[in-house]
Amino acid sequence: MQLLFVEQLLNGVQLGVILFLMAAGLTLTFGIMNLVNLAHGSLFMLGAYLGVVFALVTGSFVAGFVAAGLATFVIGLVLERLVIRHLYARSHLDQVMCTVGLVYVLNEATRMVFGPEPLHAPIPAFLAGSVELIPGAPYPAYRLAMIGAGLAIAGLLYVLIGRTRMGMLIRAGASNRVMTSVLGVNIGAIYAVVFGIGAALAGFAGYIAAPILTVYPGMGDNVLILALVVLVVGGMGSVKGAFVAALLVGVIDTIGRAYLKDLMALVLSPVAANTVAPALASMLIYILMAVILFFRPQGLIPAAGLRRPEAPPEASDHGPTGPGVLARWRVPAIGLLGGAFLLLPLVAGLADQPFWVDMGLRVIIFAIAALSLDLILGQTGLVSFGHALYLGIGAYVVGILADAGVESGFVQWPLAMAISALLAAALSMVALRTSGTFFIMITLAFAQMMFYGASSLYDYGGDDGMHLAVRSTFGGLVDLYDSRQFYYLALAMLVVLAGLNIRLARARFGTVLKGIRINERRMEAAGFPTFRYKLAACVLSAAVCGLAGAMLANAAEFVGPQYMDWTRSAELMIMVVAGGLATPFGAIIGALAYLGIEKYLSDLTIHWRLGFGALLILLVFLGRGGLSALFAPGPAGQTTPVHKGSFRWARPFFRPRA
Amino acid sequence: MKASILFSTALSLLCAAPALADPVKVGVILPQTGVGAVLAKQMQAAIELAVAHEGGKLGGQQVEFFWSDSQGKADVAKQLADEMVKSKRVDFLVGPVFSSEMMAVHGGLARTDAFVISPISGPAPIAGKSCSANFFNVSSQNDQQAEALGAYLEKLGVKRVYVMTVNNQAGKDMVSGFKRNFKGDLVGEVYTRFGQVDFAAELSALRTAAPEATFIFYPGDMGVQYVKQYAQAGLAKSTPLYTVWTVDQATLPAVGDDAIGVRSGNVWSVDLPNAANARFVSDFKQKNGFLPNDYAAHAYDSILLVSSAVKAVGGDMSRKDDIRKALQKADFASNRGKFAFNTNHFPIEDYYVREVVKGEDGTLVTKTVEKVMTDAKDAYYQDCPLK
């Protein structure tokens, strides 16, 4: 029994070592450049692909190892130069958006070059067997080598940062950027090198893990989430913290997977233990993260002596400074949008394409969800990366009730809203204690935790989800099986909610939220209980999102954990940003644009994600204020553009860098 | 003169009539991206081969295919299925592949009059209580391969087996099927998350339990990693590995020599001795450069089934009842030799045990060891109201 435990410990250390390599790069970029880089998982993937291909071509495992690191270092430098460099002065939200776009582009490009089938990385012959470290327990030699390689790289990193001139310059730049720059050091080059080192670490991690994990486009995304947890638990900006946290997370995850079932079997029946244990094991790390953050918000070993560049505002509030190009056609545009929504079922009937009504319904439902997110993201400036959680909660409430025979929408839908609101209240009490990037991470973690929780609901389909037994009934008033009736019901709700949103924004509540977004400390000083306002906003937005979830479950006739996935949250964020933060119709325009472009591009080519990602990156750089900015009136209400064709969109490139 | 003009016009109109008939529309939903990508590639190649073997048409009619990518995700599959049936108005829907996708899709489609041909997945509910008249499964009910292996291990006198599979409907079906015929001791029953490919922790525990044999179900890439890691952990020598839907011709090259000796239970094999199979395998290999796997074999049969139904109604897609009867009749040359449907539209067929061996030319092939069940029916057909 002890032998097995030691073996599991080793397994945990092996996982931890990989996580450390990933997290080290992330923590360096965050600590030194204050940059949230979600494309790190793609760098992991690229390291695996390039290294494995090189190893297959040259026949040498070690050559592949070197190639993986070198190639990703170069790619990191190139990315930094082209894209990342421009993000340092931008808000964390913009960084998230842009790097998510990069993920789309890099993953799809990899799929185009290497094909969608997984690449299989062979283990070299000299590492293929097992080693009897402890007599009687053969341990795969390759995994031992992984641990060794990871520790060696960690050691090299330590030496690099702590004992070389380059490391000294990096630490100086992190400590006080301006002074270092004044002393004649090229800070831009330092940043590029740091990003490159981070990328190389991810590349090494990808290559080392390749034989175990299978090399396929998108392989890095799950590792990224774990690395983010490590990052936050260890303390952002702290390499030592990342090391400790990585080992902790790796060991707890592995031991959890190995022993939780037996532990649960003591309390529950074996069948129940079998089902609950895998899911609970997945949730374990997120629970750990939440607990650690609750008691120690800066992480386990916070980076000491690091004076980071002044944190930019979380959500960019730099809307358009003047009237948009199409401001004159603002009113007709709204009329056109409204008319299109109203008349869609008629047009669909004439064209004999009833499916259009279903698509329109989807747009409306996501518009409602995006509207709810706009309340906290756009108006209050809280970058919540876990909003899709409430979409899922609303859906599950409807699904579970329908399965139990409670079909009435009058019971299901308000309950969906209520439960979402309650859950939001509980989670936000914890999450709102943090701020900035920690808030992003903790909302992400909570959503992932509930995602795994939902996956464990075996009676309701577990991982796969379930078909909705019957659509909500409304006592004969509305028949949801009639597409038109459903559509108009949803449209009516959207109109009411959009109207309420506009009223709210102009009322005292909305104005306080705006003040909190712009400068929370000032609002506190003025005497406003900002925590309560933020909490109220979170609860309200969760309730509306829960309603959207209830409708989505009915429209899709399907309920599953996929609704809560972090990629779904990212989609909602993109919709809100694309439409225009804190604008009356931004959420609606954003949902329409997102779903419309996605449908159009995916019909065009199977590689639509490439174009989509590119559009996202362009949006971050060119689309200040989102699509609404095109129609926005100037500050004094004027609608005539001051300078026609003045390349207003190019102005951001010429803003002074921090 | 007038009469001849009239006569020739009438004649040409008569000849033009069949040409004016709409092509048969077939929608295909495959997991072209994600962990099922390699399976989708096999199936697409098989479908194209089947159409070629039928002379570029189905049942003598022009056919229009609508291909789509479900990414292996149930919600995407549902959306695609809705679109295929309501917008593109397909006559036949082939796919989706995974049981999770099929469960999401089936309920909604049962309300329409579309014919769903499932090439692979056969979840228990659809074989039993929730069966539908327009659903036809061409491969087998999910439990059955496992039932075959359970019977085989029981026959061999094995007493202690360790079971590992994915934590979803398909996985549970496999395990319950195995337990139906295997009466020995399950020293371990472990469910892992779908998509988990690193089994270090679980394999360590397996070694400690010291079973006589291991039974697993890990489709696609999870299976590849499992078999490799199983061998690396030194278990392949001590504990024989029995699998369903895990190791097949498509994934063998990826696993390599670690797969030698792994056994599986199945209804089809590359070396099944019948004329249709010989033609299928050799043409597939020639056209694509690699051998087909079970997914491909069943996808091929799906198209032949559709073709036979189209031929029976002469291309008239409005005769739904006749199409249904023709599908039920299953009058086509399957690569399994004989083929017949049960009352719940699941096949009645023979089951074999196969083993991975190294062929004369050095490539890995699955070789049939022995037949385990003959004309087996699934365990749920009596719950199905269809008679």
Side-chain angles (χ1 to χ4, degrees):
Chain A
M1 212 38 201
Q2 291 111 315
L3 286 181
L4 178 61
F5 186 74
V6 172
E7 233 188 288
Q8 300 291 24
L9 260 180
L10 276 175
N11 290 330
V13 170
Q14 173 242 298
L15 175 62
V17 152
I18 297 289
L19 289 178
F20 167 68
L21 291 178
M22 284 290 279
L26 278 174
T27 208
L28 276 175
T29 16
F30 184 80
I32 296 173
M33 289 108 78
N34 205 353
L35 175 83
V36 177
N37 176 21
L38 293 182
H40 213 63
S42 301
L43 291 166
F44 176 88
M45 169 193 74
L46 283 171
Y49 265 104
L50 295 171
V52 168
V53 166
F54 196 76
L56 287 173
V57 160
T58 59
S60 161
F61 183 76
V62 178
F65 182 77
V66 172
L70 260 168
T72 37
F73 181 74
V74 169
I75 292 178
L77 287 178
V78 167
L79 278 177
E80 202 273 343
R81 189 86 253 253
L82 288 179
V83 180
I84 306 288
R85 175 163 295 217
H86 308 289
L87 291 174
Y88 297 140
R90 305 287 289 252
S91 68
H92 284 305
L93 176 63
D94 284 344
Q95 291 170 0
V96 165
M97 292 279 113
C98 189
T99 49
V100 166
L102 264 181
V103 170
Y104 274 115
V105 170
L106 289 173
N107 285 3
E108 195 58 38
T110 308
R111 183 175 295 128
M112 285 169 74
V113 171
F114 294 102
E117 292 137 52
L119 202 59
H120 289 100
I123 294 186
F126 65 93
L127 285 174
S130 0
V131 169
E132 287 221 11
L133 254 195
I134 314 124
Y139 193 72
Y142 186 73
R143 290 180 189 264
L144 273 177
M146 281 169 84
I147 298 178
L151 289 176
I153 297 176
L156 273 172
L157 188 68
Y158 175 73
V159 165
L160 178 73
I161 302 283
R163 300 262 183 274
T164 62
R165 189 181 155 75
M166 168 65 63
M168 184 182 70
L169 291 174
I170 292 175
R171 280 180 294 133
S175 195
N176 193 327
R177 185 200 167 148
V178 177
M179 274 307 282
T180 318
S181 177
V182 157
L183 288 171
V185 176
N186 185 347
I187 280 291
I190 300 279
Y191 280 14
V193 167
V194 169
F195 192 80
I197 292 177
L201 286 171
F204 278 131
Y207 183 77
I208 294 174
I212 307 283
L213 282 186
T214 306
V215 181
Y216 68 95
M219 68 185 281
D221 299 339
N222 291 330
V223 188
L224 177 69
I225 298 274
L226 283 180
L228 287 174
V229 172
V230 168
L231 182 68
V232 171
V233 166
M236 298 182 89
S238 155
V239 179
K240 262 189 235 154
F243 189 75
V244 171
L247 288 177
L248 189 66
V249 168
V251 167
I252 288 187
D253 183 56
T254 311
I255 300 284
R257 262 173 37 214
Y259 290 105
L260 206 59
K261 193 186 73 152
D262 298 324
L263 269 171
M264 303 240 84
L266 293 173
V267 193
L268 303 166
S269 73
V271 173
N274 256 340
T275 319
V276 172
L280 195 60
S282 321
M283 284 167 77
L284 210 52
I285 325 175
Y286 298 98
I287 299 175
L288 171 77
M289 175 173 139
V291 167
I292 291 184
L293 278 185
F294 189 78
F295 291 110
R296 220 178 140 74
Q298 333 88 290
L300 286 175
I301 306 181
L306 210 64
R307 203 185 74 86
R308 289 204 300 279
E310 182 160 296
E314 281 318 299
S316 174
D317 184 41
H318 307 288
T321 50
V325 194
L326 299 173
R328 270 175 297 177
W329 292 287
R330 181 180 166 75
V331 175
I334 296 174
L336 194 67
L337 190 67
F341 271 115
L342 262 172
L343 296 174
L344 180 66
L346 259 74
V347 173
L350 287 172
D352 194 27
Q353 284 283 14
F355 192 65
W356 289 356
V357 179
D358 294 333
M359 291 205 300
L361 181 61
R362 243 183 109 75
V363 170
I364 293 178
I365 292 176
F366 276 100
I368 295 179
L371 199 65
S372 75
L373 180 60
D374 190 43
L375 183 65
I376 47 174
L377 178 62
Q379 296 193 40
T380 323
L382 293 169
V383 183
S384 165
F385 212 131
H387 205 65
L389 166 61
Y390 304 110
L391 207 59
I393 297 280
Y396 265 97
V397 168
V398 168
I400 293 177
L401 284 175
D403 192 63
V406 180
E407 298 171 14
S408 168
F410 291 118
V411 172
Q412 292 173 342
W413 291 22
L415 204 58
M417 294 176 75
I419 294 183
S420 303
L422 277 169
L423 188 64
L427 293 178
S428 304
M429 291 287 280
V430 176
L432 287 172
R433 282 161 60 100
T434 65
S435 63
T437 346
F438 289 96
F439 183 77
I440 304 180
M441 300 302 166
I442 203 171
T443 48
L444 176 61
F446 277 144
Q448 279 300 96
M449 201 167 83
M450 302 300 295
F451 169 79
Y452 288 119
S455 306
S456 75
L457 294 173
Y458 177 62
D459 287 334
Y460 301 110
D463 249 335
D464 305 332
M466 63 173 178
H467 178 67
L468 184 69
V470 59
R471 284 189 177 174
S472 310
T473 54
F474 287 98
L477 284 174
V478 182
D479 175 21
L480 290 187
Y481 282 102
D482 179 346
S483 305
R484 282 195 182 190
Q485 290 188 37
F486 195 174
Y487 177 87
Y488 280 119
L489 174 68
L491 188 59
M493 298 202 132
L494 177 64
V495 168
V496 166
L497 286 168
L500 279 175
N501 186 41
I502 296 176
R503 287 284 286 134
L504 198 72
R506 291 192 194 151
R508 188 164 181 270
F509 185 69
T511 325
V512 173
L513 291 182
K514 186 171 170 182
I516 293 175
R517 178 183 80 214
I518 294 176
N519 191 328
E520 186 176 348
R521 206 157 282 178
R522 189 160 57 191
M523 296 302 282
E524 277 179 0
F528 289 101
T530 55
F531 185 84
R532 289 194 198 170
Y533 275 92
K534 287 195 290 187
L535 187 65
C538 283
V539 168
L540 196 57
S541 92
V544 175
C545 199
L547 179 65
M551 293 205 277
L552 185 59
N554 275 293
E557 286 188 279
F558 176 81
V559 175
Q562 301 89 335
Y563 287 166
M564 302 182 186
D565 194 32
W566 70 280
T567 50
R568 193 63 56 124
S569 296
E571 280 176 18
L572 288 176
M573 285 168 79
I574 296 173
M575 287 181 202
V576 177
V577 173
L581 290 166
T583 57
F585 304 108
I588 303 174
I589 299 175
L592 184 61
Y594 184 96
L595 290 171
I597 293 180
E598 185 187 59
K599 182 86 179 72
Y600 176 69
L601 283 182
S602 60
D603 280 346
L604 215 54
T605 162
I606 195 177
H607 299 296
W608 59 275
R609 285 187 191 84
L610 192 71
F612 203 74
L615 277 175
L616 201 54
I617 298 175
L618 281 175
L619 173 74
V620 172
F621 287 121
L622 307 181
R624 268 310 180 51
L627 286 167
S628 289
L630 288 172
F631 296 96
Q638 71 270 41
T639 55
T640 320
V642 175
H643 304 286
K644 288 193 201 171
S646 62
F647 293 96
R648 187 165 288 102
W649 52 265
R651 282 199 198 159
F653 277 109
F654 300 104
R655 281 178 63 237
R657 297 276 183 283
Chain B
M1 177 71 166
K2 260 196 201 158
S4 65
I5 294 178
L6 264 174
F7 178 75
S8 52
T9 317
L11 197 62
S12 58
L13 274 175
L14 270 171
C15 296
L20 286 172
D22 287 329
V24 175
K25 292 197 232 173
V26 179
V28 187
I29 301 181
L30 295 175
Q32 291 168 334
T33 54
V35 293
V38 62
L39 306 171
K41 184 167 133 178
Q42 283 266 345
M43 293 173 76
Q44 186 156 350
I47 291 174
E48 284 166 1
L49 183 66
V51 176
H53 277 177
E54 291 285 294
K57 302 186 181 176
L58 287 188
Q61 303 294 323
Q62 293 292 340
V63 60
E64 192 182 352
F65 276 98
F66 297 97
W67 301 90
S68 63
D69 173 20
S70 70
Q71 303 168 38
K73 297 183 183 167
D75 53 337
V76 178
K78 178 91 173 53
Q79 253 179 284
L80 290 170
D82 280 342
E83 194 180 330
M84 294 252 176
V85 170
K86 292 186 199 164
S87 176
K88 302 213 168 61
R89 307 237 167 81
V90 297
D91 303 301
F92 300 94
L93 182 63
V94 176
V97 173
F98 293 125
S99 290
S100 55
E101 300 173 319
M102 186 54 83
M103 288 303 294
V105 159
H106 180 251
L109 286 186
R111 278 204 317 273
T112 68
D113 62 1
F115 291 104
V116 180
I117 314 291
S118 171
I120 303 294
S121 86
I126 302 184
K129 289 193 316 267
S130 310
C131 63
S132 76
N134 290 346
F135 177 92
F136 291 86
N137 169 289
V138 176
S139 62
S140 60
Q141 199 273 314
N142 282 354
D143 301 14
Q144 289 183 288
Q145 268 94 341
E147 286 175 10
L149 275 185
Y152 182 69
L153 281 174
E154 182 70 14
K155 198 180 83 167
L156 285 181
V158 172
K159 291 281 174 279
R160 304 174 67 247
V161 172
Y162 200 95
V163 171
M164 280 188 70
T165 183
V166 266
N167 190 20
N168 65 10
Q169 175 76 40
K172 312 250 176 188
D173 282 352
M174 301 295 162
V175 176
S176 55
F178 185 77
K179 286 199 253 194
R180 204 164 281 135
N181 289 340
F182 178 73
K183 300 300 168 208
D185 215 0
L186 253 58
V187 294
E189 195 176 325
V190 176
Y191 297 90
T192 57
R193 275 191 61 78
F194 188 91
Q196 177 186 325
V197 284
D198 182 358
F199 299 99
E202 290 82 7
L203 286 172
S204 302
L206 201 164
R207 187 186 308 109
T208 312
E212 282 176 70
T214 309
F215 169 72
I216 65 165
F217 160 64
Y218 280 112
D221 233 68
M222 298 180 279
V224 172
Q225 287 301 335
Y226 188 94
V227 177
K228 278 167 71 169
Q229 289 167 26
Y230 193 82
Q232 279 156 36
L235 287 163
K237 293 191 266 301
S238 58
T239 317
L241 187 59
Y242 289 84
T243 72
V244 288
W245 292 111
T246 300
V247 168
D248 57 38
Q249 289 300 145
T251 53
L252 272 182
V255 181
D257 289 350
D258 288 336
I260 295 181
V262 174
R263 293 184 163 181
S264 57
N266 227 307
V267 295
W268 174 87
S269 176
V270 177
D271 59 355
L272 269 186
N274 65 70
N277 196 32
R279 183 185 179 215
F280 166 62
V281 172
S282 67
D283 283 0
F284 190 96
K285 174 92 193 277
Q286 196 183 39
K287 199 159 169 233
N288 299 292
F290 47 83
L291 285 169
N293 70 353
D294 311 71
Y295 289 79
H298 300 323
Y300 179 85
D301 271 358
S302 306
I303 295 300
L304 292 188
L305 175 68
V306 169
S307 183
S308 75
V310 173
K311 186 152 90 173
V313 292
D316 185 357
M317 291 293 114
S318 63
R319 294 161 54 185
K320 298 286 179 194
D321 287 333
D322 293 332
I323 296 179
R324 194 176 304 116
K325 288 207 194 82
L327 285 170
Q328 171 82 16
K329 203 155 153 237
D331 185 17
F332 68 96
S334 162
N335 48 29
R336 273 166 274 177
K338 58 175 180 180
F339 188 92
F341 279 121
N342 198 350
T343 50
N344 61 355
H345 299 173
F346 277 69
I348 302 174
E349 55 200 335
D350 301 338
Y351 286 78
Y352 308 89
V353 171
R354 320 182 299 207
E355 183 172 330
V356 178
V357 297
K358 204 156 206 165
E360 298 103 28
D361 54 350
T363 54
L364 297 167
V365 284
T366 53
K367 198 185 69 143
T368 309
V369 172
E370 69 178 76
K371 189 192 286 197
V372 185
M373 306 199 303
T374 312
D375 287 337
K377 298 183 181 175
D378 63 80
Y380 303 98
Y381 74 96
Q382 278 155 335
D383 295 334
C384 170
L386 293 173
K387 289 290 166 257

